[in-house]
Amino acid sequence: MIKSLSLVKILRQCSIRSIRHFETSTQPPPFSSDPTSNPISQQLPLIVNRQLEYPHVRYPPLQAWLETLGQKRDEKLGIVDLHPSIWQTSPRLDILYENIEWQKTYKKIDWAYTPPHHEYPSMRGKPWPQKGTGRARHSSRYDPQWKGGYKVNGPKGPTSFFYVLPKEKRIEGLCTALTVKLHQNDVHFVDSFDLPTHQPTYLQELTEDRFWGPSILFIDDTDIMPHNMMFASAKTEGFTVMPVYGLNVYSILKHTTLVLTIRALNKIEKKLLHALNSYDTQKDQPAPPDEP
Amino acid sequence: MPIERGLQYLRHMQRVTLKNLPMPLEKTDKWKKEHPDENTIKSIMSRKGPISRNSLPPYGIDPIQAEGRLPWILTVPKEPYYEGVEEARQYLPISLRTLQRLIDLRRINPDKPVDLPVLCNTKLFSIQPDQRQFGLQLTDEGADLFSTPINLEIQWVASELAIAAIERCGGVLTTRYFDPISLSALVDAKKFFERGEPIPRCDTPPINAIEYYTDPKQRGYLANPDLIREERQRLAQKYGYKLPDSSKLSPLFHLRKDPRQIFYGLEPGWLINLKDQTILKPTDNKYQTFYHS
């Protein structure tokens, strides 16, 4: 079903020339004879089969297009297999809500503090005698009913709202966020982030032509990015670049589209599948891996 | 399939964003109205009574029926360290010092086997079977003074030193169990014979005592005699004395009672006539099989 819908999207967005080119994908494109001007020099299609660990019992692997950022024309390099445990889970919006609330509140500290009775100036003596003056009777100047008086049961000191959501909920949150994005046509897979120029206009026009949305989240497997990519995303508003270890539900839902490289996809699948298919207790958990 | 229907909805509906997610039911105002928390209830309710004064009784008790008092079950305190006192077995102590003293004063004859009726005939111990007392136990006070070989039969021994003290002099110890009916016959034997009842058959010990009476270390009467011999050697090595040869012992020290037998020389089922100095034995088959089993 996804394949048919993606084809529909291509028919809407891409030009007819590119479709005709895709049908004859094994041959080089006819319009560009210069090998230097064509960034795609390899034999197409690039990816045909991808090995998946822990194959799902019921569902076959999903499929998605593999695209490039190297040229402005929308050209598909191949098809990528996706694991259904991550990309076809039930769309649990309540778990997404819990993850987002956790991300917002675990950092929160409430600094409100109202000094109590003993931290006020001394309250010896009545402000005026009990009888005689026409005013109300009072015993001290800083009582709670006075303006500027102490508060009885007010907030006392910094309170923290720290808590850690259980591991299973965090994992399921990531998987549902990814399925939601995939099934609403907001995920794109790219071979790498190598751009021909550092001009931000190149990336902006590319994404506008392809209707990739105002805010995009680019994800690579390491935190060292190519210079062109960094420059272009720094100068545009709405583009963020992130390594795999920074992936979180809030960022996935905040940005309209997700763009993943194949290496990032491999890393994410490996980590999530290992976590989904293991039954480690708190004590038996292995040490975290060396690479981030 | 629930997953596929949900994904179908996803495809046709709006994009899921941070502002589109549904709030959980417990945070809506409607739910909070129907399920008020403790503080709101307290602010609405009266300012008097046990609820407002934090003096409610524990759950399960109606404050109106209780009339201001806790039920009797909760007022009486629990003392769990006394648990099991109704089923515990008691043994009266007899030390090696008293034994040696009785032998020196010629109140006990060491040339005959020393067992419970012999010790009770000295009238020094008053054993009451209906008070959960099951006999005598040997304590190790006077282990250095003890120096006569005897064939002793006792109901409980707690220390290895007492066993070693008896075996060092060349004596023999067995621990034996008597149930309350046979105990009442043993404690005052003359009175029992005057009653005119047949000698009872001794029962097997209860489950929590079987481990003790089958243990060779405690010289139980149900233990394997080969293992008992091993333990005697082990104790001799531990405490540093030499065991006498078993072949040189007199036949006194080989005398043991059958597990069903109470008196030496008398079988269960026999009726004793003190006046005519006769013994009556059962001839019927079923009585014989019962008393000999």
Side-chain angles (χ1 to χ4, degrees), chain A residues 133-154:
Chain A
T133 65
R135 305 162 91 175
R137 50 194 182 179
H138 286 294
S139 63
S140 78
R141 153 85 180 83
Y142 295 103
D143 272 343
Q145 65 260 31
W146 282 68
K147 179 184 169 185
Y150 64 88
K151 244 192 157 317
V152 179
N153 280 327

Side-chain angles (χ1 to χ4, degrees), chain B residues 256-276:
Chain B
R256 299 284 149 76
K257 278 187 207 171
D258 192 57
R260 296 287 194 192
Q261 197 185 8
I262 297 174
F263 294 105
Y264 273 117
L266 298 175
E267 280 179 25
W270 290 359
L271 249 184
I272 288 171
N273 198 338
L274 282 178
K275 197 170 177 209
D276 300 333

Side-chain angles (χ1 to χ4, degrees), chain B residues 186-239:
Chain B
L186 285 166
V187 159
D188 212 339
K190 192 178 177 192
K191 224 180 190 179
F192 170 73
F193 292 138
E194 282 170 0
R195 259 190 271 160
E197 283 174 12
I199 295 170
R201 177 187 79 152
C202 186
D203 274 340
T204 51
I207 292 167
N208 56 11
I210 281 174
E211 205 188 312
Y212 182 89
Y213 289 109
T214 51
D215 200 0
K217 285 186 191 164
Q218 315 286 356
R219 311 287 189 274
Y221 71 113
L222 297 171
N224 199 348
D226 300 326
L227 294 175
I228 289 179
R229 263 174 241 142
E230 266 182 49
E231 292 294 329
R232 279 164 65 95
Q233 298 283 342
R234 202 172 291 163
L235 256 192
Q237 281 175 6
K238 183 175 176 184
Y239 283 96

Side-chain angles (χ1 to χ4, degrees), chain A residues 1 5 58-59 88-91 93 96-97 100-101 180-181 183-184 186 250 253-254 256, chain B residues 1-4 6-11 13-18 20-24 27:
Chain A
M1 268 203 260
L5 279 168
R58 233 192 229 161
Y59 301 115
Q88 204 179 5
T89 48
S90 67
L93 301 182
L96 289 179
Y97 182 91
I100 284 158
E101 224 194 75
V180 158
K181 283 284 168 195
H183 287 263
Q184 294 192 328
D186 288 327
Y250 188 90
L253 292 187
K254 189 175 157 72
T256 43
Chain B
M1 291 285 185
I3 288 183
E4 273 153 23
L7 299 173
Q8 216 177 28
Y9 289 146
L10 267 186
R11 278 181 218 119
M13 293 189 129
Q14 284 179 1
R15 183 182 278 140
V16 174
T17 60
L18 295 170
N20 270 351
L21 291 173
M23 195 153 52
K27 296 203 175 181

